[in-house]
Amino acid sequence: MGVGNNMVRVDAIEKVTGGAKYTADLEPKGLLVAKVVRSTIANGVVKSFDLEAALAVPGVVKIVTCFDVPDIQFPTPGHPWSVETAHQDIADRKLLNTRVRVYGDDIAAVIAEDEIAASRAARLVKVEYEEYEPMLTVEAAMAEGATVLHEEKPGNIIAHSSFVVGEGTYQEAVEGEDVVEIDHVYATQSVQHCHIETPISFAYMEKGRIVVTTSTQIPHIVRRVISQALGIPAGEIRVIKPYIGGGFGNKQDVLYEPLNAFLCTQVGGRGVRMEISREETLACTRVRHAIKLHVKAAVRKDGTLVARKLEAYSNQGGYASHAHAIVANTSNEFKQIYHDEKTLESDAYTVYTNIATGGAMRGYGIPQAAFAAECMADDLAVAVHMDPLEFRMKNCMPEGYVDPHTHVACNTYGLKECMEKGRSYIHWDEKRKEYENQTGPVRKGIGMAIFCYKTGVYPISLETASCRMVLNQDGSMQLQMGATEIGQGADTVFTQMAAETTGITEDKVHILSTQDTDITPFDTGAYASRQTYVSGMAVKKAGLIFKDRILDYAAYMLDKEKDTMDIQNNVVVDKESREKLLDMAELATTAFYSLDRSIHITAEATSHCKDNTFATGACFAEVEVDMPLGKVKVTNIVNVHDSGKLINPKLAEAQVHGGMSMGLGYALSEELLFDKNGRPLNDNLLDYKLPTSMDTPDLHVQFVELDDPTGPFGNKALGEPPAIPVAPAIRNAVLNATGVAVDSLPLDPQKLVAHFKAAELI
């Protein structure tokens, strides 16, 4: 079959029959249970503990507090390490924190014989604090005299970056021009990933080494961070990642593995399990950053975009995690997706506050940028009485675009074709005309949004991945990847890639979803929509070496020139006539057991990726707005993606469906709320409003397939892009329906009713 075909997922049977083994399924008997003790304030210092009542609980083995852990600060984001200090992640967290910076901060841990004893004891731990005023907003944290959250920094601004594209300032660009200007503050909210499997791990010691089995997107990085956090060599640590029930970026942080590894050393190496509850996951792991984006933009009356100015303020929460990388990505997207005739000014700030820590989440700063850029596009189009689609056609990223700072090029350009496909599919021109001049309490509208997405992290950070192939005695092969299957179908497309490259059919390619840092080759993990692009190139490179070595052995067996042969459907064939020459099983058996020339045929290759490209696309949404109820019903929606050649079209479609579903929640209902003390108000799935199947319309997908020259098989990013354009497309459809521009997410009923009342529509 190879690439481009709808191969059934290699893990499908195991998953639907319950045979797939997740972390909890692999736990050995007799594990102790660890429970984190969490702060009941958002900002302050732990002064002392009273552990008497907690230690008296039957079954409690040990209680470790923030005063008992190594005095080592370490970074948690799943980024490749850098040998250059300036490019290393911020090390601002300890295993347990004496300085409290978020409500629910990790301040102690109870180890007990069972869950009941651990939970009971954790509730009985008494803590004395020195408490400070919580700072929940960027404005509060940046104010003069604000409490400094991390003493190693002079203030709460983690980083500030700026750039100018063009010449001069925004103000200079618009002076003397006959332009229409807008000045809006667009705002996105904190949301949670809500993966099915919550963070879970178990750790024990074996032969003096720490072994951690964990649900993570980044096993090799987890190993490195545990090493840093505990101050021990990486070779003394083994990390195993089995099947994982989703991550979406939350498990691209090293969350609790270092603490669990340390706890097992405190009980003589005995196994300790740590499972984070749904409530803890929502409130105490990572969230998508809330970002305020102050946008000024000027456009001529013919729709030409003259200049823009962006000031973006990212609410980081208590710890750095991925920190400024998120809003830097935001400002880059804002730059890339539209072309200014004169000037773009950009300033971006990342600020520590006392709300939940922001980290990686599907799209990595691009959904926030897309909301601002696409609201801006519609607001400008309205201001000059222009069709929003035509405005985008006139001003969007042009063909042949090269980023002036990163020098990433748009090698294949499908953005305008995506817009045209969406236009036709949803009947844009007819619907825009149909929905003019509506009256009444229920109105219909149609909107759109576009995006671009850089595949992987090069040149900002290292991109490296390895693949190993081993010929089995029956002519099948083992495919070993450090890249992680997290539900997105990576193992399936890697299998297709291996078959395409080697000529060994997919049913003879054996890949395991488990990664083990003792065995599997190195890969930085699942993030940035990088794996088919970066790790896929490692598969291709290893496959070519593997095939060459097989043909070399065939040449020995057949006394023929290697270059005259090929492999097709598990058979060595003549390259020209396609005549069958040698069965792969016979070749493999001979290679293993030949008394004359025994060779165990393997291949391993590293892809150190020093290239990149842009994926692009568009979302078109049709809505019905019940204004008195503030209710938005999405009646039709389509995403159109330019993601290069599709390795597996059905898997690609499923990826888009999943991303669109996340975008619907981001648009209409999801928001993590905090009270004035920084305590989460809706850290459960009853009050945190995820969309259900009843809220989800039929999701439609189309593709523009272009062969990208930098992808291993013409492919480029698809994992994250589907989540990017949905929210602004829905916002713009509401604008079309009602004439009301709502500049913040989510578009929940309370907010919409207030806006419709202010506009005197109800």
Side-chain angles (χ1 to χ4, degrees):
M1 292 177 71
V3 302
N5 294 292
N6 293 321
M7 175 184 169
V8 175
R9 290 180 62 127
V10 296
D11 53 4
I13 293 174
E14 281 196 296
K15 285 186 172 178
V16 299
T17 61
K21 296 293 187 289
Y22 295 80
T23 300
D25 298 314
L26 298 172
E27 294 174 358
K29 292 182 179 179
L31 290 178
L32 298 171
V33 174
K35 197 76 178 172
V36 177
V37 178
R38 302 191 177 280
S39 68
T40 54
I41 65 169
N43 191 8
V45 177
V46 176
K47 305 301 290 183
S48 64
F49 290 93
D50 179 351
L51 304 178
E52 185 177 357
L55 286 169
V57 173
V60 170
V61 175
K62 188 166 187 173
I63 299 177
V64 177
T65 75
C66 54
F67 303 120
D68 304 321
V69 298
D71 188 21
I72 300 173
Q73 294 197 160
F74 59 93
T76 65
H79 288 156
W81 190 240
S82 176
V83 293
E84 299 176 18
T85 304
H87 288 92
Q88 292 171 5
D89 290 303
I90 298 171
D92 67 349
R93 200 176 189 108
K94 297 181 182 179
L95 293 173
L96 297 167
N97 300 300
T98 304
R99 178 65 170 90
V100 172
R101 300 177 178 97
V102 293
Y103 194 99
D105 212 342
D106 315 331
I107 59 173
V110 175
I111 308 170
E113 294 287 349
D114 56 54
E115 185 81 27
I116 293 173
S119 298
R120 185 181 169 199
R123 290 193 297 269
L124 292 172
V125 172
K126 297 177 182 177
V127 189
E128 180 188 351
Y129 302 100
E130 179 180 325
E131 189 170 358
Y132 311 137
E133 185 73 21
M135 301 173 294
L136 308 184
T137 65
V138 165
E139 292 83 358
M142 292 176 69
E144 187 176 348
T147 305
V148 175
L149 289 180
H150 291 267
E151 292 74 13
E152 61 270 21
K153 293 188 67 64
N156 292 319
I157 297 175
I158 298 175
H160 167 223
S161 60
S162 62
F163 60 79
V164 174
V165 179
E167 295 183 4
T169 65
Y170 169 83
Q171 203 57 46
E172 290 169 343
V174 299
E175 281 177 4
E177 284 273 9
D178 183 16
V179 295
V180 177
E181 293 185 74
I182 65 166
D183 186 338
H184 285 241
V185 175
Y186 303 108
T188 64
Q189 75 282 33
S190 294
V191 297
Q192 232 280 338
H193 311 70
C194 297
H195 34 76
I196 293 175
E197 181 192 32
T198 60
I200 180 173
S201 64
F202 61 88
Y204 58 90
M205 295 190 72
E206 183 178 77
K207 298 179 181 177
R209 302 171 75 219
I210 299 171
V211 181
V212 181
T213 301
T214 178
S215 178
T216 182
Q217 298 173 219
I218 47 168
H220 282 280
I221 292 175
V222 168
R223 184 191 202 192
R224 185 255 297 166
V225 175
I226 293 173
S227 167
Q228 292 172 307
L230 273 60
I232 62 175
E236 295 179 14
I237 302 155
R238 177 186 180 191
V239 174
I240 300 167
K241 172 252 150 201
Y243 278 102
I244 171 174
F248 306 116
N250 201 18
K251 296 174 187 176
Q252 197 203 329
D253 251 69
V254 185
L255 297 169
Y256 286 97
E257 295 91 348
L259 176 59
N260 202 11
F262 176 75
L263 294 179
C264 87
T265 69
Q266 301 303 293
V267 289
R270 186 175 170 185
V272 178
R273 81 183 297 271
M274 181 181 291
E275 183 171 4
I276 307 304
S277 70
R278 179 62 64 186
E279 292 77 9
E280 290 174 296
T281 302
L282 278 160
C284 305
T285 54
R286 304 292 180 268
V287 297
R288 174 172 280 155
H289 294 71
I291 301 180
K292 285 186 178 178
L293 304 106
H294 183 188
V295 175
K296 292 182 180 181
V299 63
R300 292 200 189 96
K301 291 175 184 176
D302 68 353
T304 302
L305 185 59
V306 176
R308 291 177 294 160
K309 182 176 181 179
L310 170 69
E311 290 181 359
Y313 297 88
S314 179
N315 191 327
Q316 179 56 47
Y319 294 92
S321 182
H322 289 248
H324 197 62
I326 302 293
V327 76
N329 228 25
T330 299
S331 56
N332 274 333
E333 166 77 1
F334 193 82
K335 165 185 58 177
Q336 293 156 353
I337 194 60
Y338 288 104
H339 173 71
D340 305 271
E341 187 181 85
K342 287 190 172 182
T343 297
L344 167 64
E345 271 190 278
S346 175
D347 280 277
Y349 298 83
T350 300
V351 184
Y352 283 124
T353 68
N354 292 121
I355 69 166
T357 299
M361 186 172 174
R362 194 174 190 173
Y364 206 82
I366 308 299
Q368 296 96 318
F371 184 70
E374 296 310 293
C375 290
M376 175 208 74
D378 262 50
D379 293 344
L380 287 172
V382 168
V384 295
H385 309 290
M386 188 174 184
D387 182 289
L389 194 154
E390 295 303 331
F391 177 87
R392 289 173 170 84
M393 286 287 190
K394 186 179 182 73
N395 296 292
C396 70
M397 170 194 274
E399 188 168 1
Y401 173 81
V402 178
D403 185 283
H405 302 117
T406 65
H407 307 297
V408 174
C410 193
N411 298 303
T412 47
Y413 182 78
L415 178 55
K416 289 187 176 179
E417 189 177 344
C418 286
M419 284 194 263
E420 289 293 358
K421 266 200 165 185
R423 175 185 217 153
S424 173
Y425 182 88
I426 210 158
H427 304 292
W428 173 270
D429 299 289
E430 299 91 328
K431 292 291 177 68
R432 293 288 296 192
K433 189 171 183 179
E434 179 184 342
Y435 297 150
E436 288 177 348
N437 306 315
Q438 293 179 80
T439 58
V442 179
R443 301 183 187 180
K444 296 179 179 181
I446 193 165
M448 66 170 296
I450 61 174
F451 73 90
C452 63
Y453 184 89
K454 175 173 65 66
T455 305
V457 299
Y458 179 81
I460 307 301
S461 193
L462 171 70
E463 276 294 8
T464 185
S466 294
C467 170
R468 184 184 303 130
M469 296 179 178
V470 179
L471 187 66
N472 292 324
Q473 297 170 46
D474 61 353
S476 64
M477 64 178 284
Q478 299 301 128
L479 177 60
Q480 298 177 3
M481 301 293 297
T484 51
E485 167 68 68
I486 64 169
Q488 80 281 46
D491 284 352
T492 304
V493 298
F494 291 148
T495 298
Q496 290 178 262
M497 290 173 172
E500 179 79 17
T501 310
T502 64
I504 297 173
T505 56
E506 285 91 345
D507 60 312
K508 302 291 186 181
V509 178
H510 304 298
I511 186 170
L512 293 179
S513 283
T514 297
Q515 276 71 43
D516 182 334
T517 57
D518 271 11
I519 301 167
T520 47
F522 184 86
D523 193 295
T524 51
Y527 57 86
S529 304
R530 63 180 290 279
Q531 288 194 148
T532 56
Y533 188 78
V534 179
S535 306
M537 186 64 81
V539 175
K540 186 173 183 178
K541 290 173 72 173
L544 292 173
I545 297 168
F546 190 59
K547 182 177 181 178
D548 184 75
R549 290 176 180 171
I550 292 171
L551 291 176
D552 185 69
Y553 200 82
Y556 153 74
M557 289 182 66
L558 299 171
D559 195 22
K560 290 176 66 71
E561 291 295 323
K562 177 173 63 176
D563 294 343
T564 66
M565 295 181 288
D566 195 4
I567 302 173
Q568 181 179 316
N569 296 327
N570 311 312
V571 175
V572 177
V573 299
D574 183 87
K575 187 177 285 187
E576 296 296 329
S577 69
R578 314 312 287 179
E579 175 192 355
K580 295 182 179 180
L581 302 175
L582 181 63
D583 186 80
M584 190 63 64
E586 182 183 351
L587 182 149
T589 303
T590 305
F592 269 93
Y593 298 116
S594 170
L595 294 175
D596 179 53
R597 188 181 177 189
S598 176
I599 296 177
H600 305 157
I601 299 173
T602 67
E604 186 163 348
T606 297
S607 168
H608 180 185
C609 181
K610 294 184 179 181
D611 214 335
N612 212 324
T613 190
F614 287 103
T616 62
C619 175
F620 290 77
E622 189 174 359
V623 301
E624 183 177 279
V625 185
D626 187 324
M627 292 188 295
L629 293 179
K631 182 70 174 174
V632 177
K633 180 181 180 182
V634 180
T635 57
N636 195 9
I637 189 167
V638 62
N639 267 29
V640 189
H641 285 266
D642 154 34
S643 291
K645 289 294 184 180
L646 303 179
I647 308 299
N648 186 314
K650 280 293 183 186
L651 279 182
E653 186 177 354
Q655 280 284 75
V656 178
H657 284 166
M660 293 175 75
S661 178
M662 294 186 84
L664 287 167
Y666 195 46
L668 296 173
S669 62
E670 292 185 49
E671 182 174 16
L672 193 59
L673 300 168
F674 303 88
D675 69 14
K676 65 179 182 178
N677 298 313
R679 180 176 181 174
L681 291 170
N682 57 337
D683 55 347
N684 60 81
L685 293 181
L686 176 63
D687 299 318
Y688 183 86
K689 296 301 181 183
L690 275 178
T692 69
S693 59
M694 299 294 289
D695 306 306
T696 305
D698 289 340
L699 303 172
H700 304 289
V701 184
Q702 294 202 343
F703 293 100
V704 172
E705 284 198 70
L706 302 170
D707 194 341
D708 194 279
T710 64
F713 298 94
N715 54 296
K716 51 187 179 179
L718 182 61
E720 289 166 282
I724 294 168
V726 173
I730 292 171
R731 179 268 190 187
N732 290 336
V734 172
L735 171 62
N736 176 239
T738 66
V740 175
V742 183
D743 291 345
S744 65
L745 293 174
L747 307 177
D748 59 61
Q750 296 90 336
K751 183 183 294 179
L752 290 178
V753 165
H755 275 77
F756 297 148
K757 283 184 175 179
E760 299 183 345
L761 291 173
I762 55 175

